[in-house]
Amino acid sequence: MDEQDKLLKHMIIEHKMVIADVKLVADFQRYILYWRKRFTEQPVTDFCSVIRINSTAPLEEQDNYFLLCDVLPEDRVLREELQKQRLKEILEQQQQERNDNNFHGICMFCNEEFFGNRSVLLNHMAREHAFNIGLPDNIVNCNEFLCTLQKKLDNLQCLYCEKTFRDKNTLKDHMRKKQHRRINPKNREYDRFYVINYLLSNPSVLPTKELGKSWEEVQLEDDRELLDHQEDDWSDWEERPDSAVCLFCEKQAETIEKLCVHMEEAHDFDLLKIKSELGLNFYQQVKLVNFIRRQIHQCRCYSCHVKFKSKAELRTHMEETKHTSLLPERKIWDQPEYYFPTYENDILLCTLSDSESDLTAQEQNGNITIISEDTSKLHALKQTSILNQLLLHEGLKN
C-alpha cells in the first residue's frame, strides 16, 4: 500500500493523472500495467476526462488534469475483469484450504497443537474459548489470518478494542471481563480474510453501484438513504454511557452500585449480600447472573419453577411471594452452561467485581482446592480423567 500511494502521488505531481475510486480496483498492479501499455498506443486524452483548474485565471496559470475512471467503457470492462479474476483465485484458494488435511496450528489461548483440517482449530477456539471468527468455510487465507491475530496478541493488543496492555495477564483479564474475545468488525485489515467481501465486489453478484464495497459499506449507505429523508433536528442529542439493566425489570443504571440499590429496594434482591454470603468469585457471579437472566427471559420463577405467560405476571408473583431472594441450590445454577450470556453485550457482567476479597471468601467457606491433572501423558489422561465420569453422568441426566 505504501508503494501504491507513492506511485499515485508521483502520477498526480509529475503527470497530472488522477485515478478515480482506486480502492475499488481489484488488482492495482495489473490495472496500471494495462493502462501503461494503452497510453503508448494512443494519446491520454482519448481515454481520460480533462479537468481544467484555474479556468478564470490567465492562460499561463491554468492547468489541465486527467481523470481516468470507469465512465470510460474500456476502464469499466477492465475493472470488472480484474474483479472476476480475483474472485476466481480466491475461490480456488478457499477450496484448496477446505480440502487441506495437512494443516498445523496452535491455539492462541491455550497453546494446544492441532493437526489435520483448519476447522479443528477454529472450532476448538469457538467452543473452548468463546472466540469465534466465523465459520471455517467462510474464511480464506486462514494461516495468514491466524498469524495476524497472533501477532496482535504477542504485542499485548486487545483484538476487539485494540488497546495495548502492559503484560499478558492484564490483557487476558481485560478480554475476559469486557467480553472482547472477538475481532474488531471496523478494522478493514480483516476484510481480505472473508470470502463474502470478494463476493460483494463481484459485478455478477451486486448491482453496479455496489461494486468493490464491503458489506458494511453497503449497509451504511442504505442507512444514509433513510436518514436523508428525515428532517428531525438532532442538534440537542447527547450520547449516553452504557448502562446495566436490572435482572427483573427494564430499569437501567450507569453503575452497579446504583443498580444494586434499585434491585434491593424494588425487588428485595441484594446481589452484593448474596455474593458475600455465598463467597462467590467472578465466574460464579457470572453464572448466577446468566442463570437469573435466562429464567426471567423464559418467564419462569427460579425458586418454585412455575412458568408464567408474561414477565409482568412473573414479576408480580416473585415480589408477592418474596421468591426473588430465594435462590435455588448452588448446583442448579453453578453450571458451565451459564458461562454464556443470555443477552449479547450484557453490561452488568462487565461491572462484576473480581477483587482479592473473592479469594478470601472462598478460603473462609472452605472451598476444596482444585489440583490440575497431570497432562504429560495425554493418552492416559483421556482414558482415566474424572471428566469422563462427569460427562457420562451428565449424559444420563439429559
Side-chain angles (χ1 to χ4, degrees), residues 11-24:
M11 291 171 61
I12 292 176
I13 295 175
E14 299 297 331
H15 305 288
K16 309 276 192 292
M17 170 69 67
V18 178
I19 300 175
D21 297 321
V22 174
K23 70 173 184 177
L24 303 186

Side-chain angles (χ1 to χ4, degrees), residues 23 209-210 213 216-231:
K23 70 173 184 177
K209 66 173 184 175
E210 315 296 5
K213 299 177 182 178
E216 286 193 328
E217 289 176 304
V218 173
Q219 188 178 48
L220 184 60
E221 288 189 351
D222 290 342
D223 293 341
R224 284 203 197 102
E225 289 178 5
L226 292 175
L227 292 173
D228 286 343
H229 297 289
Q230 297 181 358
E231 298 179 356

Side-chain angles (χ1 to χ4, degrees), residues 176-271:
R176 169 180 60 79
K177 291 181 68 174
K178 297 296 184 181
Q179 299 184 46
H180 281 189
R181 281 197 173 180
R182 45 186 170 152
I183 63 174
N184 182 0
K186 303 295 184 183
N187 191 333
R188 299 273 71 87
E189 179 185 6
Y190 301 132
D191 284 356
R192 67 181 188 274
F193 300 120
Y194 291 92
V195 175
I196 182 64
N197 290 311
Y198 298 95
L199 295 174
L200 286 170
S201 64
N202 183 21
S204 63
V205 176
L206 277 187
T208 299
K209 66 173 184 175
E210 315 296 5
L211 180 61
K213 299 177 182 178
S214 72
W215 65 271
E216 286 193 328
E217 289 176 304
V218 173
Q219 188 178 48
L220 184 60
E221 288 189 351
D222 290 342
D223 293 341
R224 284 203 197 102
E225 289 178 5
L226 292 175
L227 292 173
D228 286 343
H229 297 289
Q230 297 181 358
E231 298 179 356
D232 296 341
D233 182 14
W234 292 67
S235 59
D236 61 343
W237 182 83
E238 294 182 1
E239 184 176 359
R240 296 180 59 187
D242 291 334
S243 299
V245 181
C246 173
L247 291 170
F248 305 97
C249 67
E250 305 303 321
K251 173 70 176 179
Q252 298 184 25
E254 296 175 11
T255 65
I256 189 172
E257 290 78 15
K258 292 181 180 179
L259 188 63
C260 286
V261 169
H262 159 75
M263 289 192 292
E264 183 179 0
E265 293 177 351
H267 308 292
D268 195 26
F269 181 85
D270 192 338
L271 180 60

